[in-house]
Amino acid sequence: MSQVEIGVSGDMTPLVPQKEDPFANALKMFQQFPGSVPFGAPVVQEWVQQRRENIRPWSTFFNTSNIRKPPSLTRLTKRVLANVEYFKSNYLFVYIGLVLYCLITSPLLLIAVCASAGAGYLLYLRHKEGMKVNVMGKDLPLGQQYGLVAICSLPVFYLVGAGAALFWVFGASVSLIGLHAAFYNIDALLAAQEDRFDLEEV
């Protein structure tokens, strides 16, 4: 039997794991942030218009004659889900009202939010005029510019107590919306609407 020789000569160098540069990774991740995020005013106006069209009458929302204790735990769950679906735009405006109340009662937070929103608006105007923002030799799209403003605003928000305000708004919203959704008898309202619809058909 003949033997076959295979040449295995050469330099073998072990692979040395490269240390990751956290700054380079953060920059790469920031560059992948979408550049064409539609933050323009028409999009916001359209979204607000849709919410306003879906809002239920406030007289119905605050109608105390429909306040009833839920008969059982199963019925409570179904009632909360039905109320959230039916009054979702109203609940959104309740949340916005609590946010505005929190901003009005916290002047430093209000100034920080206005400064951040003003910086975003100035970037929007510069973008509209065709002016570009260059960071480290790279032109940043508008979405990344907004992201940069948000990142720079975080330390300021922390210093003026935005975390505490955020928790207060979240807690107050969950409490108020949860109480309304749990005790508002949506079945009576929907039944009255169905009866009215049947009468109109006849």
Side-chain angles (χ1 to χ4, degrees):
M1 184 182 264
S2 62
Q3 292 183 348
V4 178
E5 292 185 9
I6 300 174
V8 287
S9 63
D11 294 335
M12 294 183 71
T13 55
L15 289 174
V16 179
Q18 302 240 345
K19 290 184 177 178
E20 291 187 358
D21 183 10
F23 180 73
N25 287 342
L27 185 62
K28 189 186 294 183
M29 194 169 71
F30 180 70
Q31 288 173 349
Q32 292 173 351
F33 187 78
S36 58
V37 178
F39 284 112
V43 175
V44 175
Q45 289 174 356
E46 182 182 339
W47 183 82
V48 170
Q49 185 63 30
Q50 286 177 352
R51 298 286 76 77
R52 287 181 68 186
E53 287 172 2
N54 293 333
I55 199 164
R56 305 297 179 180
W58 289 105
S59 58
T60 304
F61 184 77
F62 289 115
N63 188 359
T64 55
S65 62
N66 284 336
I67 301 296
R68 295 279 185 279
K69 190 178 82 169
S72 66
L73 190 61
T74 310
R75 191 67 221 130
L76 171 66
T77 308
K78 289 180 181 177
R79 180 186 282 186
V80 167
L81 292 175
N83 276 325
V84 167
E85 179 62 30
Y86 189 79
F87 289 116
K88 58 186 171 188
S89 291
N90 296 71
Y91 290 148
L92 176 67
F93 280 96
V94 168
Y95 175 77
I96 291 171
L98 289 171
V99 169
L100 292 175
Y101 172 78
C102 189
L103 287 175
I104 291 168
T105 56
S106 307
L108 288 177
L109 183 58
L110 180 62
I111 291 169
V113 168
C114 289
S116 180
Y121 185 66
L122 288 175
L123 288 174
Y124 172 73
L125 291 178
R126 285 173 61 94
H127 177 75
K128 204 172 177 183
E129 293 172 1
M131 301 171 73
K132 296 184 178 179
V133 175
N134 193 294
V135 175
M136 298 177 66
K138 179 174 171 45
D139 290 335
L140 293 182
L142 187 59
Q144 293 180 3
Q145 293 173 33
Y146 286 149
L148 190 61
V149 168
I151 290 170
C152 293
S153 300
L154 287 177
V156 179
F157 288 154
Y158 176 76
L159 290 174
V160 297
L166 199 65
F167 277 111
W168 182 88
V169 168
F170 179 74
S173 301
V174 168
S175 300
L176 289 176
I177 292 170
L179 283 171
H180 185 274
F183 287 98
Y184 193 91
N185 187 11
I186 189 74
D187 296 332
L189 178 65
L190 294 178
Q193 287 182 349
E194 283 178 8
D195 290 344
R196 191 171 63 219
F197 181 70
D198 291 341
L199 286 172
E200 285 175 358
E201 271 191 340
V202 174

